[in-house]
Amino acid sequence: MIAHDIPPMDLAGARLFKGMLDRPTQEALVSALRDVVSVAPFFHPETRWGKQMSVRMTSAGRLGWVSDRRGYRYEPRHPTGAPWPEIPDLALEVWRAVSGADRLPDCCLVNYYGDGARMGLHQDRDEGDFSFPVVSISLGDDALFRIGGIKRQGSTQSAWLGSGDVLVLDGPSRLAYHGIDRLRFGSSDLLRDRGRINLTLRVVEIAPTASDEV
Ligand SMILES: O=C(O)CCC(=O)C(=O)O
Ligand SMILES: [Fe+2]
């Protein structure tokens, strides 16, 4: 079940829906993601400066996010050359429930955090239109999320994201700096090998296609 009646908590302007996905729904989503990963395996992105990120990534949707020495960008294909698989329906259902958008996302970025993985403070700004939100779904281990404002310096707020939580970055929080400081590795038994999966649903390209209709 995807709960539609949860009042969101405010987190520096972002909206946090605690426990929006119940356990069976989380399990169904993980199972759909296994199909995604079998077509588009996780890879370790490198930054432009040749540093390997601690998070492993893949994507679903028309476009996926890649990073290598040529920089960050969205691409229509996985690094192996295969097109990205479709975004799981359950993820689209979450988007419909919380985004308020009149179209569907064209990218679902899938991040896997193993023991010790983290993500430094950054803005999500490679998309074409910041009037669409970024919708984030957390699965598996608890993670300490940090969010500030639109400048890198300045005060931040932190909150633990648990399995089944949904976070919406929109309005003034759409371009807020955010990141993951650490995991409580092994705190959830949702994923066979522990760790955490985070999905972010994004509208990347401004021109919609027929498949983007809500
Ligand atoms: O893992 C998270 O909760 C955040 C991920 C994130 O910020 C991103 O993929 O851009
Ligand atoms: Fe992000």
Side-chain angles (χ1 to χ4, degrees), residues 119 122 124 178 202:
M119 190 178 285
H122 65 278
D124 292 358
H178 60 278
R202 302 148 186 257

Side-chain angles (χ1 to χ4, degrees), residues 112-133:
Y112 175 77
Y113 296 76
D115 200 1
R118 53 184 298 281
M119 190 178 285
L121 275 186
H122 65 278
Q123 291 172 297
D124 292 358
R125 51 179 302 164
D126 299 326
E127 299 78 25
D129 184 343
F130 303 134
S131 69
F132 291 104

Side-chain angles (χ1 to χ4, degrees), residues 35-167:
D35 295 340
V36 166
V37 171
S38 69
V39 176
F42 281 115
F43 57 92
H44 258 302
E46 258 191 354
T47 65
R48 192 195 297 264
W49 301 276
K51 191 169 179 282
Q52 205 175 60
M53 293 175 70
S54 58
V55 171
R56 289 192 290 154
M57 288 184 184
T58 188
S59 292
R62 210 148 40 81
L63 292 162
W65 194 83
V66 297
S67 173
D68 56 25
R69 291 184 188 223
R70 285 162 53 207
Y72 309 126
R73 65 203 176 272
Y74 284 96
E75 290 271 5
R77 286 170 190 278
H78 186 275
T80 55
W84 306 100
E86 282 188 15
I87 300 177
D89 280 339
L90 268 174
L92 295 178
E93 244 188 86
V94 172
W95 172 271
R96 287 190 191 94
V98 298
S99 71
D102 59 0
R103 58 164 286 185
L104 293 177
D106 44 18
C107 173
C108 174
L109 177 63
V110 185
N111 293 319
Y112 175 77
Y113 296 76
D115 200 1
R118 53 184 298 281
M119 190 178 285
L121 275 186
H122 65 278
Q123 291 172 297
D124 292 358
R125 51 179 302 164
D126 299 326
E127 299 78 25
D129 184 343
F130 303 134
S131 69
F132 291 104
V134 170
V135 172
S136 142
I137 305 171
S138 293
L139 296 166
D141 288 343
D142 297 339
L144 187 58
F145 177 81
R146 188 139 63 99
I147 181 167
I150 56 169
K151 295 209 172 84
R152 184 181 286 278
Q153 292 81 14
S155 64
T156 59
Q157 280 184 48
S158 293
W160 285 95
L161 300 181
S163 200
D165 290 356
V166 174
L167 181 72

